[in-house]
Amino acid sequence: MAAPFRKVASKLLCGSCRVLHARLRSRVIISSPTSAHCCYTVDSNDKSTHFGFETVPEGQKAEKVYKVFESVAQKYDVMNDAMSLGIHRLWKDSLLHVMNPQPGARLLDTAGGTGDISFRFLDYVRFQRGRRDRRAARANQTLSWQQINDSYTSTEPVQQGSRAVVCDINKEMLKVGKQRAEELGYGTDLSWVVGDAEELPFDDDQFDVYTIAFGIRNVTHIEQALQEAHRVLKPGGRFLCLEFSKVSNPLLSSLYDAYSFQVIPVLGEVIAGDWKSYQYLVESIRRFPDQETFKGMIEDSGFFRVQYFNLTGGVVAIHSGFKL
C-alpha cells in the first residue's frame, strides 16, 4: 500500500509544482526610473483597482465611472451647489486666481464636464484684456502725434485671442456643458472634445495651461493622465489640479466624514435620484492620495516647481507644476 500511495502523492505534488511554475512564469517584473520595481500580471483580468471602496478589474473602472457621470449629468451643477453649500464656486475662483491667465493663453480643461473652469477662464481673460485696453487708452491720451502714428504703422504681430478646449470622456456631461455655453453666450473661443485623460487626442506642446478639476481621482491610471498632461503642454506651460484632498484637523475631519457619508448620498437621492453614484463620489475622495503623495506623483511625471495650496482646511487642494 505504501508504494502506490507514494506514487500518487508524487504525481499530485509534481502537478502542483507545474501549476505554480506556470503562474510564476506568467508574471514579469518591470523596472522604471521612478520606482524600484512593479509587478504586473500578463493577464489583464488579474489586475485590479478601486472603484470607491470596491475592488474591481482595471478594465471595468472606466465604464463604471462613465455610468456614474452619465447618470448625474443633468443634475451635476445643482448637486455641486447642494453638496458644497456653494463653496465649490469659491474653490474654482481660487484656481483661476492662482492660474492668473493672460490674454492669448490657450487652456485645456480636462474632465471639464459642464464647463465651469473654462467659463471662468474666458471671463478672467476678458477682464484682463479690458483692463489692459483701458490702461492703453489712458496712456494714449498723453501720446504725441508721432507716437500715435507709429502705433498704427507698427509691424508687430497682433496677439491672438484666448481659447479654451473642454475635453471630457463623457458625452452627456459635454452635452450639458454645450447647452450652458449657449445660454451664457460663449462663442467660438470655446471648443468641446470627447477624449480620455489617459490618452488625449491632441498633439504635443499645444497648450499654455492644463487644468483638471475634481476629475483626476476618477481615472484608472493617475500616472498616465499626468504624463499626458505633461505631453500636451508647451514648454513653460502650467499644470493645475483642483481636487478633494486630506483634512489635517481631527475635529474638521470628523465633521467632514459625517457630512460626506450621512448627508451627501441622501442629497444625491433627493435631488438627482441617485444614491449610489454619490456614495461612490464620497468613497473615491477617501481613496485619493494625500497632498504630499500626489505632489510626488506630479514631480515623477516630469513637472518642476510643484507646490500645493490647501483650501477649506485641506478639504480641497490646488496642485501646481510647470513643464520646463
Side-chain angles (χ1 to χ4, degrees), residues 147-305:
Q147 289 172 315
I148 293 173
N149 181 67
D150 290 344
S151 69
Y152 279 109
T153 59
S154 173
T155 58
E156 293 183 6
V158 177
Q159 189 177 41
Q160 293 183 344
S162 297
R163 287 190 58 83
V165 178
V166 181
C167 180
D168 199 293
I169 199 170
N170 195 290
K171 295 179 181 179
E172 287 301 313
M173 294 288 284
L174 291 175
K175 181 180 177 181
V176 174
K178 288 180 182 179
Q179 291 172 348
R180 290 185 66 205
E182 291 175 2
E183 293 168 1
L184 295 171
Y186 294 98
T188 57
D189 47 4
L190 181 60
S191 304
W192 305 84
V193 176
V194 177
D196 187 345
E198 295 184 34
E199 194 174 353
L200 293 169
F202 306 105
D203 293 334
D204 298 355
D205 307 330
Q206 292 295 305
F207 298 94
D208 301 294
V209 185
Y210 171 108
T211 59
I212 184 164
F214 305 116
I216 200 164
R217 74 181 187 281
N218 296 310
V219 305
T220 305
H221 306 99
I222 294 175
E223 296 87 350
Q224 179 64 26
L226 292 172
Q227 290 166 11
E228 280 291 275
H230 189 273
R231 179 183 67 79
V232 300
L233 278 170
K234 299 176 183 177
R238 191 175 192 181
F239 167 88
L240 286 164
C241 176
L242 176 66
E243 187 55 88
F244 290 106
S245 201
K246 295 295 183 291
V247 178
S248 57
N249 182 285
L251 177 59
L252 178 59
S253 180
S254 297
L255 293 172
Y256 176 49
D257 284 344
Y259 178 78
S260 297
F261 286 99
Q262 296 178 25
V263 177
I264 289 178
V266 176
L267 289 174
E269 180 65 28
V270 172
I271 296 174
D274 193 337
W275 177 296
K276 288 185 178 180
S277 291
Y278 285 95
Q279 182 70 29
Y280 157 73
L281 293 175
V282 169
E283 292 175 0
S284 69
I285 293 168
R286 272 66 188 178
R287 298 302 300 265
F288 190 69
D290 63 26
Q291 289 90 326
E292 282 294 327
T293 302
F294 187 47
K295 176 175 181 276
M297 294 171 71
I298 298 169
E299 290 171 335
D300 289 344
S301 298
F303 289 99
F304 292 87
R305 292 179 58 196

Side-chain angles (χ1 to χ4, degrees), residues 8-47:
V8 172
S10 177
K11 288 181 179 180
L12 290 173
L13 181 60
C14 290
S16 299
C17 289
R18 283 195 294 271
V19 171
L20 178 60
H21 182 63
R23 288 182 178 176
L24 289 174
R25 284 195 306 169
S26 71
R27 291 182 175 269
V28 295
I29 302 299
I30 301 177
S31 298
S32 70
T34 58
S35 60
H37 67 275
C38 298
C39 187
Y40 293 90
T41 306
V42 171
D43 185 357
S44 61
N45 291 328
D46 289 344
K47 294 183 184 179

Side-chain angles (χ1 to χ4, degrees), residues 99-121:
M99 185 194 305
N100 191 29
Q102 299 303 307
R106 192 175 185 206
L107 167 72
L108 175 59
D109 181 13
T110 307
T114 57
D116 263 2
I117 301 302
S118 289
F119 298 159
R120 282 171 167 79
F121 168 81

